[in-house]
Amino acid sequence: MKTILRMMDHLYWADGRILDALEASHTKDAELLKLVRHVAVAEQVWLSRLQGKDSTQYALWEEAEGLTAIRQLFEANAEQYHSYLEELGESALDQMISYSSQNGRSFQTSIRDILLQVLLHGQYHRGQINRALRMEGAEPAPVDYITFSRL
């Protein structure tokens, strides 16, 4: 549990860093903004499943409303994940969660694997965002875990 909590702290930090880099770049790339919104909404989707709620109302690939709205979504996600994890014990990590995917398929996945999915999915897309920023000539955000761990 300690490792997952630490990795979640990294996720919150990295989400903020990538948003800061996007703001500093003044990018107008709609696909790049859609991608960062996707990360935030995916976090929200998985959280709703962990909470036993339906997630099918969330659209994963819509146009972004702007970085301010995305930042607010990331902040709300962080607050809700923190509350969820605060009440979760080590033994609960292997509990199976039943849920439906966005296209209606039924699955069962452990809480541990869902949390790892959230962590790895975000890092994958932050890498894509950094690459796009670099290609635009903007400064990418250093979001590696080791950078976070040195703070």
Short mmCIF file of all heavy atoms in Angstrom, two decimals, residues 39-108:
data_model
loop_
_atom_site.label_atom_id
_atom_site.label_comp_id
_atom_site.label_asym_id
_atom_site.label_seq_id
_atom_site.Cartn_x
_atom_site.Cartn_y
_atom_site.Cartn_z
N VAL A 39 -6.52 11.97 -20.24
CA VAL A 39 -5.86 11.47 -19.03
C VAL A 39 -6.71 11.78 -17.81
O VAL A 39 -6.95 10.92 -16.95
CB VAL A 39 -4.43 12.05 -18.88
CG1 VAL A 39 -3.81 11.62 -17.55
CG2 VAL A 39 -3.55 11.62 -20.05
N ALA A 40 -7.18 13.01 -17.71
CA ALA A 40 -7.99 13.42 -16.57
C ALA A 40 -9.30 12.65 -16.50
O ALA A 40 -9.71 12.19 -15.43
CB ALA A 40 -8.26 14.93 -16.63
N VAL A 41 -9.95 12.49 -17.63
CA VAL A 41 -11.24 11.78 -17.65
C VAL A 41 -11.03 10.29 -17.36
O VAL A 41 -11.83 9.68 -16.65
CB VAL A 41 -11.99 12.01 -18.98
CG1 VAL A 41 -13.25 11.15 -19.06
CG2 VAL A 41 -12.35 13.49 -19.13
N ALA A 42 -9.95 9.71 -17.86
CA ALA A 42 -9.69 8.29 -17.58
C ALA A 42 -9.49 8.08 -16.07
O ALA A 42 -9.97 7.09 -15.51
CB ALA A 42 -8.46 7.81 -18.36
N GLU A 43 -8.79 9.01 -15.42
CA GLU A 43 -8.66 8.92 -13.96
C GLU A 43 -10.03 8.94 -13.30
O GLU A 43 -10.30 8.20 -12.37
CB GLU A 43 -7.82 10.09 -13.42
CG GLU A 43 -6.35 10.02 -13.73
CD GLU A 43 -5.58 11.22 -13.20
OE1 GLU A 43 -6.14 12.02 -12.41
OE2 GLU A 43 -4.40 11.36 -13.58
N GLN A 44 -10.90 9.79 -13.81
CA GLN A 44 -12.26 9.92 -13.27
C GLN A 44 -13.07 8.64 -13.51
O GLN A 44 -13.79 8.18 -12.63
CB GLN A 44 -12.93 11.12 -13.95
CG GLN A 44 -14.21 11.57 -13.33
CD GLN A 44 -14.71 12.84 -14.00
OE1 GLN A 44 -14.65 12.97 -15.23
NE2 GLN A 44 -15.22 13.77 -13.21
N VAL A 45 -12.93 8.06 -14.69
CA VAL A 45 -13.63 6.82 -15.03
C VAL A 45 -13.25 5.71 -14.06
O VAL A 45 -14.11 5.04 -13.48
CB VAL A 45 -13.32 6.40 -16.49
CG1 VAL A 45 -13.70 4.94 -16.76
CG2 VAL A 45 -14.03 7.32 -17.46
N TRP A 46 -11.95 5.52 -13.85
CA TRP A 46 -11.50 4.44 -12.97
C TRP A 46 -11.91 4.70 -11.53
O TRP A 46 -12.28 3.77 -10.81
CB TRP A 46 -9.99 4.23 -13.11
CG TRP A 46 -9.64 3.53 -14.37
CD1 TRP A 46 -8.99 4.04 -15.45
CD2 TRP A 46 -9.94 2.16 -14.70
NE1 TRP A 46 -8.87 3.09 -16.44
CE2 TRP A 46 -9.44 1.93 -15.99
CE3 TRP A 46 -10.57 1.13 -14.03
CZ2 TRP A 46 -9.56 0.69 -16.63
CZ3 TRP A 46 -10.69 -0.11 -14.66
CH2 TRP A 46 -10.19 -0.31 -15.94
N LEU A 47 -11.89 5.94 -11.11
CA LEU A 47 -12.31 6.25 -9.75
C LEU A 47 -13.79 5.92 -9.56
O LEU A 47 -14.17 5.33 -8.54
CB LEU A 47 -12.06 7.72 -9.42
CG LEU A 47 -12.47 8.16 -8.02
CD1 LEU A 47 -11.65 7.42 -6.96
CD2 LEU A 47 -12.31 9.65 -7.86
N SER A 48 -14.61 6.27 -10.53
CA SER A 48 -16.04 5.96 -10.40
C SER A 48 -16.26 4.45 -10.31
O SER A 48 -17.09 3.99 -9.53
CB SER A 48 -16.84 6.57 -11.56
OG SER A 48 -16.54 5.94 -12.77
N ARG A 49 -15.49 3.69 -11.04
CA ARG A 49 -15.60 2.22 -10.97
C ARG A 49 -15.17 1.72 -9.60
O ARG A 49 -15.83 0.84 -9.03
CB ARG A 49 -14.76 1.58 -12.06
CG ARG A 49 -15.29 1.85 -13.45
CD ARG A 49 -14.33 1.39 -14.51
NE ARG A 49 -14.86 1.68 -15.84
CZ ARG A 49 -14.15 1.61 -16.95
NH1 ARG A 49 -12.87 1.26 -16.90
NH2 ARG A 49 -14.70 1.90 -18.11
N LEU A 50 -14.09 2.27 -9.07
CA LEU A 50 -13.63 1.88 -7.74
C LEU A 50 -14.70 2.19 -6.69
O LEU A 50 -14.83 1.47 -5.70
CB LEU A 50 -12.33 2.60 -7.38
CG LEU A 50 -11.08 2.12 -8.11
CD1 LEU A 50 -9.94 3.12 -7.92
CD2 LEU A 50 -10.68 0.73 -7.64
N GLN A 51 -15.45 3.24 -6.91
CA GLN A 51 -16.50 3.65 -5.97
C GLN A 51 -17.81 2.91 -6.20
O GLN A 51 -18.80 3.19 -5.55
CB GLN A 51 -16.73 5.16 -6.08
CG GLN A 51 -15.53 5.98 -5.65
CD GLN A 51 -15.68 7.46 -5.99
OE1 GLN A 51 -16.30 7.84 -6.99
NE2 GLN A 51 -15.09 8.31 -5.17
N GLY A 52 -17.82 1.99 -7.16
CA GLY A 52 -19.02 1.22 -7.44
C GLY A 52 -20.06 1.96 -8.26
O GLY A 52 -21.23 1.58 -8.29
N LYS A 53 -19.62 3.00 -8.96
CA LYS A 53 -20.54 3.82 -9.76
C LYS A 53 -20.39 3.49 -11.24
O LYS A 53 -19.36 3.01 -11.70
CB LYS A 53 -20.25 5.30 -9.54
CG LYS A 53 -20.42 5.76 -8.11
CD LYS A 53 -19.99 7.20 -7.96
CE LYS A 53 -20.02 7.66 -6.52
NZ LYS A 53 -19.45 9.01 -6.37
N ASP A 54 -21.41 3.82 -11.98
CA ASP A 54 -21.39 3.67 -13.44
C ASP A 54 -20.47 4.72 -14.05
O ASP A 54 -20.49 5.88 -13.64
CB ASP A 54 -22.81 3.83 -13.97
CG ASP A 54 -22.89 3.72 -15.47
OD1 ASP A 54 -22.17 2.90 -16.06
OD2 ASP A 54 -23.69 4.48 -16.07
N SER A 55 -19.67 4.32 -15.01
CA SER A 55 -18.73 5.26 -15.63
C SER A 55 -19.08 5.56 -17.09
O SER A 55 -18.36 6.31 -17.75
CB SER A 55 -17.31 4.70 -15.57
OG SER A 55 -17.21 3.55 -16.40
N THR A 56 -20.18 5.02 -17.57
CA THR A 56 -20.46 5.13 -19.01
C THR A 56 -20.86 6.54 -19.44
O THR A 56 -20.87 6.83 -20.63
CB THR A 56 -21.55 4.12 -19.44
OG1 THR A 56 -22.72 4.33 -18.64
CG2 THR A 56 -21.06 2.69 -19.30
N GLN A 57 -21.14 7.44 -18.50
CA GLN A 57 -21.50 8.81 -18.88
C GLN A 57 -20.28 9.64 -19.27
O GLN A 57 -20.42 10.71 -19.84
CB GLN A 57 -22.28 9.51 -17.75
CG GLN A 57 -21.43 9.96 -16.58
CD GLN A 57 -21.25 8.92 -15.50
OE1 GLN A 57 -21.45 7.73 -15.71
NE2 GLN A 57 -20.86 9.37 -14.32
N TYR A 58 -19.08 9.13 -18.99
CA TYR A 58 -17.87 9.89 -19.29
C TYR A 58 -17.39 9.62 -20.72
O TYR A 58 -17.25 8.47 -21.11
CB TYR A 58 -16.75 9.54 -18.32
CG TYR A 58 -17.08 9.86 -16.89
CD1 TYR A 58 -17.25 8.85 -15.95
CD2 TYR A 58 -17.21 11.17 -16.46
CE1 TYR A 58 -17.56 9.13 -14.63
CE2 TYR A 58 -17.53 11.47 -15.15
CZ TYR A 58 -17.69 10.45 -14.24
OH TYR A 58 -17.99 10.75 -12.94
N ALA A 59 -17.13 10.68 -21.45
CA ALA A 59 -16.61 10.57 -22.81
C ALA A 59 -15.10 10.78 -22.74
O ALA A 59 -14.62 11.84 -22.34
CB ALA A 59 -17.25 11.61 -23.71
N LEU A 60 -14.36 9.76 -23.14
CA LEU A 60 -12.91 9.78 -23.00
C LEU A 60 -12.19 10.64 -24.03
O LEU A 60 -11.07 11.07 -23.79
CB LEU A 60 -12.36 8.36 -23.05
CG LEU A 60 -12.63 7.52 -21.81
CD1 LEU A 60 -12.37 6.04 -22.09
CD2 LEU A 60 -11.79 8.01 -20.65
N TRP A 61 -12.79 10.89 -25.18
CA TRP A 61 -12.07 11.56 -26.26
C TRP A 61 -12.82 12.76 -26.81
O TRP A 61 -12.94 12.92 -28.01
CB TRP A 61 -11.76 10.57 -27.38
CG TRP A 61 -10.75 9.56 -26.97
CD1 TRP A 61 -10.96 8.25 -26.66
CD2 TRP A 61 -9.34 9.78 -26.81
NE1 TRP A 61 -9.78 7.65 -26.32
CE2 TRP A 61 -8.76 8.55 -26.40
CE3 TRP A 61 -8.51 10.89 -26.95
CZ2 TRP A 61 -7.40 8.41 -26.15
CZ3 TRP A 61 -7.16 10.75 -26.71
CH2 TRP A 61 -6.62 9.52 -26.32
N GLU A 62 -13.28 13.64 -25.96
CA GLU A 62 -13.94 14.86 -26.41
C GLU A 62 -12.94 16.01 -26.49
O GLU A 62 -11.88 15.97 -25.87
CB GLU A 62 -15.06 15.26 -25.45
CG GLU A 62 -16.29 14.40 -25.58
CD GLU A 62 -17.45 14.91 -24.74
OE1 GLU A 62 -17.26 15.86 -23.95
OE2 GLU A 62 -18.54 14.35 -24.88
N GLU A 63 -13.34 17.04 -27.20
CA GLU A 63 -12.52 18.24 -27.28
C GLU A 63 -12.36 18.82 -25.87
O GLU A 63 -13.28 18.74 -25.06
CB GLU A 63 -13.17 19.29 -28.19
CG GLU A 63 -13.26 18.87 -29.64
CD GLU A 63 -11.91 18.72 -30.32
OE1 GLU A 63 -11.02 19.55 -30.07
OE2 GLU A 63 -11.76 17.75 -31.08
N ALA A 64 -11.23 19.43 -25.62
CA ALA A 64 -10.96 20.03 -24.32
C ALA A 64 -11.62 21.40 -24.22
O ALA A 64 -11.66 22.15 -25.21
CB ALA A 64 -9.46 20.16 -24.11
N GLU A 65 -12.11 21.72 -23.03
CA GLU A 65 -12.73 23.02 -22.79
C GLU A 65 -11.69 24.09 -22.50
O GLU A 65 -12.03 25.26 -22.38
CB GLU A 65 -13.70 22.90 -21.62
CG GLU A 65 -14.76 21.86 -21.81
CD GLU A 65 -15.39 21.41 -20.50
OE1 GLU A 65 -15.19 22.07 -19.46
OE2 GLU A 65 -16.08 20.40 -20.53
N GLY A 66 -10.46 23.69 -22.31
CA GLY A 66 -9.39 24.61 -21.95
C GLY A 66 -8.63 24.05 -20.76
O GLY A 66 -9.13 23.19 -20.03
N LEU A 67 -7.43 24.53 -20.58
CA LEU A 67 -6.57 23.99 -19.54
C LEU A 67 -7.08 24.27 -18.12
O LEU A 67 -6.84 23.48 -17.22
CB LEU A 67 -5.14 24.52 -19.70
CG LEU A 67 -4.37 23.91 -20.88
CD1 LEU A 67 -3.03 24.61 -21.05
CD2 LEU A 67 -4.18 22.42 -20.68
N THR A 68 -7.79 25.37 -17.93
CA THR A 68 -8.32 25.66 -16.60
C THR A 68 -9.32 24.59 -16.17
O THR A 68 -9.26 24.07 -15.05
CB THR A 68 -8.98 27.06 -16.56
OG1 THR A 68 -8.00 28.03 -16.92
CG2 THR A 68 -9.55 27.36 -15.20
N ALA A 69 -10.22 24.21 -17.06
CA ALA A 69 -11.21 23.17 -16.75
C ALA A 69 -10.52 21.82 -16.53
O ALA A 69 -10.92 21.06 -15.63
CB ALA A 69 -12.23 23.07 -17.88
N ILE A 70 -9.49 21.54 -17.31
CA ILE A 70 -8.77 20.27 -17.16
C ILE A 70 -8.03 20.25 -15.82
O ILE A 70 -8.04 19.24 -15.11
CB ILE A 70 -7.80 20.05 -18.34
CG1 ILE A 70 -8.59 19.90 -19.64
CG2 ILE A 70 -6.94 18.81 -18.10
CD1 ILE A 70 -7.74 19.97 -20.89
N ARG A 71 -7.42 21.37 -15.46
CA ARG A 71 -6.72 21.44 -14.17
C ARG A 71 -7.71 21.21 -13.02
O ARG A 71 -7.42 20.50 -12.08
CB ARG A 71 -6.01 22.79 -14.00
CG ARG A 71 -5.17 22.84 -12.72
CD ARG A 71 -4.42 24.15 -12.57
NE ARG A 71 -3.41 24.39 -13.57
CZ ARG A 71 -2.17 23.91 -13.52
NH1 ARG A 71 -1.79 23.15 -12.52
NH2 ARG A 71 -1.31 24.19 -14.48
N GLN A 72 -8.88 21.79 -13.11
CA GLN A 72 -9.89 21.59 -12.07
C GLN A 72 -10.30 20.13 -11.98
O GLN A 72 -10.51 19.61 -10.88
CB GLN A 72 -11.11 22.48 -12.34
CG GLN A 72 -10.83 23.95 -12.12
CD GLN A 72 -11.94 24.85 -12.62
OE1 GLN A 72 -12.84 24.43 -13.34
NE2 GLN A 72 -11.87 26.12 -12.24
N LEU A 73 -10.39 19.46 -13.11
CA LEU A 73 -10.73 18.04 -13.11
C LEU A 73 -9.62 17.22 -12.46
O LEU A 73 -9.89 16.35 -11.61
CB LEU A 73 -11.00 17.56 -14.54
CG LEU A 73 -11.38 16.10 -14.71
CD1 LEU A 73 -12.55 15.68 -13.83
CD2 LEU A 73 -11.70 15.83 -16.18
N PHE A 74 -8.37 17.50 -12.80
CA PHE A 74 -7.24 16.80 -12.17
C PHE A 74 -7.24 17.03 -10.66
O PHE A 74 -6.99 16.11 -9.88
CB PHE A 74 -5.91 17.26 -12.75
CG PHE A 74 -5.48 16.54 -14.00
CD1 PHE A 74 -5.16 17.24 -15.14
CD2 PHE A 74 -5.35 15.16 -14.02
CE1 PHE A 74 -4.74 16.59 -16.29
CE2 PHE A 74 -4.93 14.49 -15.16
CZ PHE A 74 -4.63 15.21 -16.30
N GLU A 75 -7.49 18.26 -10.23
CA GLU A 75 -7.50 18.56 -8.81
C GLU A 75 -8.63 17.84 -8.08
O GLU A 75 -8.43 17.31 -6.98
CB GLU A 75 -7.59 20.08 -8.59
CG GLU A 75 -6.30 20.79 -8.97
CD GLU A 75 -6.42 22.31 -9.00
OE1 GLU A 75 -7.55 22.85 -8.80
OE2 GLU A 75 -5.39 22.96 -9.24
N ALA A 76 -9.80 17.78 -8.70
CA ALA A 76 -10.92 17.05 -8.10
C ALA A 76 -10.60 15.56 -8.04
O ALA A 76 -10.90 14.89 -7.03
CB ALA A 76 -12.20 17.30 -8.91
N ASN A 77 -9.98 15.04 -9.09
CA ASN A 77 -9.58 13.63 -9.09
C ASN A 77 -8.63 13.35 -7.94
O ASN A 77 -8.79 12.36 -7.22
CB ASN A 77 -8.88 13.26 -10.41
CG ASN A 77 -9.83 13.17 -11.58
OD1 ASN A 77 -11.05 13.12 -11.43
ND2 ASN A 77 -9.27 13.16 -12.77
N ALA A 78 -7.62 14.20 -7.77
CA ALA A 78 -6.62 13.99 -6.73
C ALA A 78 -7.29 13.98 -5.35
O ALA A 78 -6.99 13.12 -4.52
CB ALA A 78 -5.54 15.07 -6.79
N GLU A 79 -8.18 14.90 -5.13
CA GLU A 79 -8.88 14.98 -3.84
C GLU A 79 -9.71 13.71 -3.59
O GLU A 79 -9.68 13.13 -2.51
CB GLU A 79 -9.78 16.21 -3.83
CG GLU A 79 -10.49 16.45 -2.52
CD GLU A 79 -11.33 17.72 -2.57
OE1 GLU A 79 -10.80 18.77 -2.99
OE2 GLU A 79 -12.50 17.64 -2.19
N GLN A 80 -10.41 13.26 -4.62
CA GLN A 80 -11.26 12.08 -4.47
C GLN A 80 -10.45 10.79 -4.34
O GLN A 80 -10.80 9.92 -3.55
CB GLN A 80 -12.24 11.98 -5.63
CG GLN A 80 -13.30 13.07 -5.60
CD GLN A 80 -14.23 12.99 -6.77
OE1 GLN A 80 -14.72 11.91 -7.11
NE2 GLN A 80 -14.46 14.11 -7.42
N TYR A 81 -9.36 10.68 -5.10
CA TYR A 81 -8.50 9.50 -4.95
C TYR A 81 -7.88 9.48 -3.55
O TYR A 81 -7.81 8.43 -2.92
CB TYR A 81 -7.38 9.48 -6.00
CG TYR A 81 -7.75 8.75 -7.27
CD1 TYR A 81 -8.09 9.44 -8.43
CD2 TYR A 81 -7.76 7.35 -7.31
CE1 TYR A 81 -8.42 8.76 -9.59
CE2 TYR A 81 -8.09 6.67 -8.47
CZ TYR A 81 -8.43 7.38 -9.61
OH TYR A 81 -8.76 6.71 -10.75
N HIS A 82 -7.46 10.64 -3.09
CA HIS A 82 -6.86 10.71 -1.75
C HIS A 82 -7.86 10.23 -0.70
O HIS A 82 -7.51 9.43 0.17
CB HIS A 82 -6.39 12.14 -1.46
CG HIS A 82 -5.70 12.28 -0.15
ND1 HIS A 82 -4.43 11.80 0.09
CD2 HIS A 82 -6.13 12.82 1.01
CE1 HIS A 82 -4.10 12.04 1.34
NE2 HIS A 82 -5.11 12.66 1.93
N SER A 83 -9.09 10.69 -0.79
CA SER A 83 -10.13 10.26 0.16
C SER A 83 -10.39 8.76 0.06
O SER A 83 -10.53 8.08 1.06
CB SER A 83 -11.43 11.03 -0.09
OG SER A 83 -11.26 12.39 0.19
N TYR A 84 -10.47 8.27 -1.17
CA TYR A 84 -10.71 6.85 -1.39
C TYR A 84 -9.59 6.01 -0.79
O TYR A 84 -9.83 5.04 -0.06
CB TYR A 84 -10.85 6.57 -2.89
CG TYR A 84 -10.98 5.10 -3.22
CD1 TYR A 84 -12.19 4.45 -3.10
CD2 TYR A 84 -9.87 4.37 -3.63
CE1 TYR A 84 -12.32 3.09 -3.39
CE2 TYR A 84 -9.97 3.02 -3.92
CZ TYR A 84 -11.20 2.39 -3.80
OH TYR A 84 -11.30 1.04 -4.08
N LEU A 85 -8.35 6.39 -1.06
CA LEU A 85 -7.20 5.61 -0.61
C LEU A 85 -6.98 5.71 0.90
O LEU A 85 -6.46 4.77 1.50
CB LEU A 85 -5.94 6.06 -1.35
CG LEU A 85 -5.94 5.73 -2.84
CD1 LEU A 85 -4.82 6.47 -3.56
CD2 LEU A 85 -5.85 4.23 -3.07
N GLU A 86 -7.39 6.82 1.48
CA GLU A 86 -7.27 7.00 2.92
C GLU A 86 -8.03 5.93 3.70
O GLU A 86 -7.60 5.52 4.77
CB GLU A 86 -7.81 8.39 3.28
CG GLU A 86 -7.19 9.03 4.47
CD GLU A 86 -7.64 10.48 4.57
OE1 GLU A 86 -8.86 10.72 4.74
OE2 GLU A 86 -6.77 11.36 4.48
N GLU A 87 -9.12 5.48 3.14
CA GLU A 87 -9.97 4.48 3.80
C GLU A 87 -9.66 3.05 3.36
O GLU A 87 -10.24 2.11 3.87
CB GLU A 87 -11.44 4.79 3.53
CG GLU A 87 -11.85 6.14 4.09
CD GLU A 87 -13.31 6.47 3.82
OE1 GLU A 87 -14.09 5.53 3.57
OE2 GLU A 87 -13.66 7.65 3.87
N LEU A 88 -8.74 2.90 2.44
CA LEU A 88 -8.45 1.58 1.87
C LEU A 88 -7.28 0.94 2.60
O LEU A 88 -6.23 1.55 2.74
CB LEU A 88 -8.10 1.76 0.38
CG LEU A 88 -8.06 0.52 -0.49
CD1 LEU A 88 -9.47 -0.04 -0.64
CD2 LEU A 88 -7.50 0.87 -1.86
N GLY A 89 -7.47 -0.27 3.04
CA GLY A 89 -6.39 -1.00 3.70
C GLY A 89 -5.66 -1.90 2.73
O GLY A 89 -6.15 -2.19 1.64
N GLU A 90 -4.48 -2.35 3.13
CA GLU A 90 -3.66 -3.24 2.29
C GLU A 90 -4.44 -4.47 1.83
O GLU A 90 -4.35 -4.87 0.67
CB GLU A 90 -2.42 -3.67 3.09
CG GLU A 90 -1.50 -4.63 2.35
CD GLU A 90 -0.66 -3.97 1.28
OE1 GLU A 90 -0.27 -2.81 1.44
OE2 GLU A 90 -0.39 -4.64 0.26
N SER A 91 -5.22 -5.05 2.72
CA SER A 91 -5.94 -6.28 2.38
C SER A 91 -7.02 -6.04 1.33
O SER A 91 -7.40 -6.97 0.61
CB SER A 91 -6.56 -6.90 3.63
OG SER A 91 -7.49 -6.01 4.21
N ALA A 92 -7.48 -4.81 1.20
CA ALA A 92 -8.53 -4.51 0.22
C ALA A 92 -7.99 -4.44 -1.21
O ALA A 92 -8.76 -4.52 -2.16
CB ALA A 92 -9.21 -3.20 0.58
N LEU A 93 -6.68 -4.31 -1.37
CA LEU A 93 -6.11 -4.16 -2.71
C LEU A 93 -6.41 -5.33 -3.63
O LEU A 93 -6.49 -5.16 -4.85
CB LEU A 93 -4.59 -3.94 -2.63
CG LEU A 93 -4.15 -2.60 -2.07
CD1 LEU A 93 -2.64 -2.57 -1.90
CD2 LEU A 93 -4.62 -1.45 -2.96
N ASP A 94 -6.59 -6.51 -3.07
CA ASP A 94 -6.86 -7.68 -3.90
C ASP A 94 -8.35 -7.95 -4.08
O ASP A 94 -8.73 -8.91 -4.75
CB ASP A 94 -6.15 -8.90 -3.32
CG ASP A 94 -4.63 -8.74 -3.43
OD1 ASP A 94 -4.16 -8.28 -4.48
OD2 ASP A 94 -3.93 -9.07 -2.46
N GLN A 95 -9.18 -7.08 -3.52
CA GLN A 95 -10.63 -7.20 -3.71
C GLN A 95 -10.96 -6.98 -5.18
O GLN A 95 -10.42 -6.08 -5.83
CB GLN A 95 -11.36 -6.16 -2.85
CG GLN A 95 -12.86 -6.18 -3.00
CD GLN A 95 -13.51 -5.05 -2.20
OE1 GLN A 95 -12.94 -4.54 -1.23
NE2 GLN A 95 -14.69 -4.66 -2.61
N MET A 96 -11.87 -7.78 -5.70
CA MET A 96 -12.28 -7.66 -7.10
C MET A 96 -13.42 -6.66 -7.23
O MET A 96 -14.34 -6.63 -6.42
CB MET A 96 -12.71 -9.02 -7.64
CG MET A 96 -11.60 -10.07 -7.61
SD MET A 96 -10.12 -9.61 -8.56
CE MET A 96 -10.69 -9.93 -10.22
N ILE A 97 -13.33 -5.83 -8.26
CA ILE A 97 -14.35 -4.84 -8.57
C ILE A 97 -15.02 -5.26 -9.87
O ILE A 97 -14.35 -5.56 -10.86
CB ILE A 97 -13.71 -3.44 -8.75
CG1 ILE A 97 -12.99 -2.99 -7.49
CG2 ILE A 97 -14.74 -2.42 -9.21
CD1 ILE A 97 -13.87 -2.67 -6.32
N SER A 98 -16.33 -5.30 -9.87
CA SER A 98 -17.10 -5.58 -11.09
C SER A 98 -17.53 -4.25 -11.70
O SER A 98 -17.99 -3.36 -10.99
CB SER A 98 -18.34 -6.41 -10.77
OG SER A 98 -17.97 -7.66 -10.24
N TYR A 99 -17.37 -4.13 -13.00
CA TYR A 99 -17.72 -2.88 -13.68
C TYR A 99 -17.94 -3.16 -15.15
O TYR A 99 -17.60 -4.23 -15.66
CB TYR A 99 -16.61 -1.83 -13.51
CG TYR A 99 -15.28 -2.26 -14.09
CD1 TYR A 99 -14.93 -1.93 -15.39
CD2 TYR A 99 -14.39 -3.02 -13.34
CE1 TYR A 99 -13.72 -2.35 -15.93
CE2 TYR A 99 -13.19 -3.44 -13.87
CZ TYR A 99 -12.85 -3.10 -15.16
OH TYR A 99 -11.66 -3.53 -15.70
N SER A 100 -18.50 -2.18 -15.83
CA SER A 100 -18.66 -2.25 -17.28
C SER A 100 -17.74 -1.24 -17.92
O SER A 100 -17.59 -0.11 -17.42
CB SER A 100 -20.10 -1.94 -17.68
OG SER A 100 -20.97 -2.94 -17.19
N SER A 101 -17.14 -1.63 -19.03
CA SER A 101 -16.28 -0.72 -19.78
C SER A 101 -17.15 0.34 -20.46
O SER A 101 -18.38 0.26 -20.42
CB SER A 101 -15.47 -1.49 -20.83
OG SER A 101 -16.35 -2.02 -21.81
N GLN A 102 -16.52 1.29 -21.08
CA GLN A 102 -17.27 2.35 -21.74
C GLN A 102 -18.15 1.82 -22.88
O GLN A 102 -19.13 2.44 -23.22
CB GLN A 102 -16.31 3.43 -22.28
CG GLN A 102 -15.49 4.15 -21.21
CD GLN A 102 -16.33 4.69 -20.08
OE1 GLN A 102 -16.49 4.04 -19.05
NE2 GLN A 102 -16.87 5.86 -20.24
N ASN A 103 -17.79 0.66 -23.42
CA ASN A 103 -18.62 0.09 -24.48
C ASN A 103 -19.57 -0.99 -23.96
O ASN A 103 -20.19 -1.70 -24.74
CB ASN A 103 -17.76 -0.44 -25.63
CG ASN A 103 -16.86 -1.59 -25.21
OD1 ASN A 103 -17.00 -2.14 -24.12
ND2 ASN A 103 -15.93 -1.95 -26.08
N GLY A 104 -19.68 -1.13 -22.62
CA GLY A 104 -20.67 -2.01 -22.03
C GLY A 104 -20.21 -3.42 -21.69
O GLY A 104 -21.01 -4.20 -21.17
N ARG A 105 -18.97 -3.76 -21.98
CA ARG A 105 -18.47 -5.09 -21.62
C ARG A 105 -18.24 -5.18 -20.12
O ARG A 105 -17.76 -4.24 -19.50
CB ARG A 105 -17.15 -5.39 -22.33
CG ARG A 105 -17.35 -5.81 -23.77
CD ARG A 105 -16.07 -6.27 -24.43
NE ARG A 105 -15.54 -7.48 -23.80
CZ ARG A 105 -14.30 -7.90 -23.92
NH1 ARG A 105 -13.44 -7.20 -24.65
NH2 ARG A 105 -13.89 -8.99 -23.33
N SER A 106 -18.61 -6.34 -19.54
CA SER A 106 -18.44 -6.54 -18.10
C SER A 106 -17.07 -7.12 -17.80
O SER A 106 -16.58 -7.99 -18.52
CB SER A 106 -19.51 -7.49 -17.59
OG SER A 106 -20.78 -6.90 -17.72
N PHE A 107 -16.47 -6.62 -16.71
CA PHE A 107 -15.15 -7.07 -16.27
C PHE A 107 -15.12 -7.15 -14.75
O PHE A 107 -15.93 -6.52 -14.07
CB PHE A 107 -14.05 -6.10 -16.73
CG PHE A 107 -13.82 -6.08 -18.19
CD1 PHE A 107 -14.44 -5.12 -18.99
CD2 PHE A 107 -12.98 -7.00 -18.80
CE1 PHE A 107 -14.23 -5.10 -20.35
CE2 PHE A 107 -12.76 -6.97 -20.16
CZ PHE A 107 -13.38 -6.02 -20.94
N GLN A 108 -14.15 -7.89 -14.26
CA GLN A 108 -13.80 -7.91 -12.85
C GLN A 108 -12.29 -7.73 -12.77
O GLN A 108 -11.54 -8.45 -13.44
CB GLN A 108 -14.17 -9.24 -12.18
CG GLN A 108 -15.61 -9.33 -11.77
CD GLN A 108 -15.81 -10.46 -10.77
OE1 GLN A 108 -15.08 -11.44 -10.75
NE2 GLN A 108 -16.81 -10.29 -9.93
#
